[in-house]
Amino acid sequence: MKPAMETAAEENTEQSQERKVNSRAEMEIGRYHWMYPGSKNHQYHPVPTLGDRASPLSSPGCFECCIKCLGGVPYASLVATILCFSGVALFCGCGHVALAGTVAILEQHFSTNTSDHALLSEVIQLMQYVIYGIASFFFLYGIILLAEGFYTTSAVKELHGEFKTTACGRCISGMFVFLTYVLGVAWLGVFGFSAVPVFMYYNIWSTCEVIKSPQANGTAGVEQICVDIRQYGIIPWNAFPGKICGSALENICNTNEFYMSYHLFIVACAGAGATVIALIHFLMILSSNWAYLKDASKMQAYQDIKAKEEQELQDIQSRSKEQLNSYT
């Protein structure tokens, strides 16, 4: 009789201890959900405190949401995108208008015969179409790089839940690094090529300044100062007149077309330089983002293996406890 009573007492004691543990766990879970109301799908209700008044920390304010959103903005990519758009816009817009002005100057003063500069006119028209394509391509490419910057920043900072990356995503990031490098090298060539018309216009402008200077000795000396546009190779040597001297050259320099084309070519060259800087900036950003993604993927794999091992250890411990309880 006595062992039965002792067994019953032990069972009651174990049940009371389990109830205490369960009640303590319920209190801890309720306290957690009260402090962090963002966690849903639970079966316990928050524990009210002091007249059921809600805590100021129970719901995130507008300031916290704004800080979180601003933390996910890739500022480096945003600056590079703005610089790239500005440079491409300056190069394409100013270059297009300057090319049209150059053709008008050649037709009116340096090559009166249309057949002499027919090839040049076709090349300039083709370059204007290429400018349209460059503007469209870099508009889309800049948006894609900015979106990739938003994705990488959010992934690295883990702003939108668990960090997840795939081999395909890392491969795409590596492809953007390679493509941006190729485009940067190409734009270096464009930047050098855009300096050629600036050099030509500067030589003509400096010659006109010499003509205007008081050091020019009389009319005869002024008329001997000439500019031969044929030496630059843009029109053939049999083009007529091809060479302008003296007061006629000064009149060309005083025209609005020459003034606008000269300064527009300078701005276009500056826009090409800004685009090169933007692409170099993009290249540094993409390289660092790719390195971050690579390191984060390794850390993610390590955490997955660690969680799996811990789960297996917990399963082994639970099975061992069940076996011990079955033996007793």
Side-chain angles (χ1 to χ4, degrees), residues 260-295:
M260 287 296 297
S261 298
Y262 178 35
H263 290 84
L264 286 176
F265 272 125
I266 294 175
V267 176
C269 184
T275 306
V276 171
I277 296 174
L279 290 174
I280 294 174
H281 197 178
F282 267 130
L283 185 61
M284 293 187 294
I285 295 167
L286 292 170
S287 300
S288 62
N289 287 343
W290 183 80
Y292 289 148
L293 286 176
K294 186 178 179 180
D295 294 339

Side-chain angles (χ1 to χ4, degrees), residues 18 74 151 155 183 194 227:
E18 289 179 357
Y151 159 74
L183 291 174
S194 62
V227 169

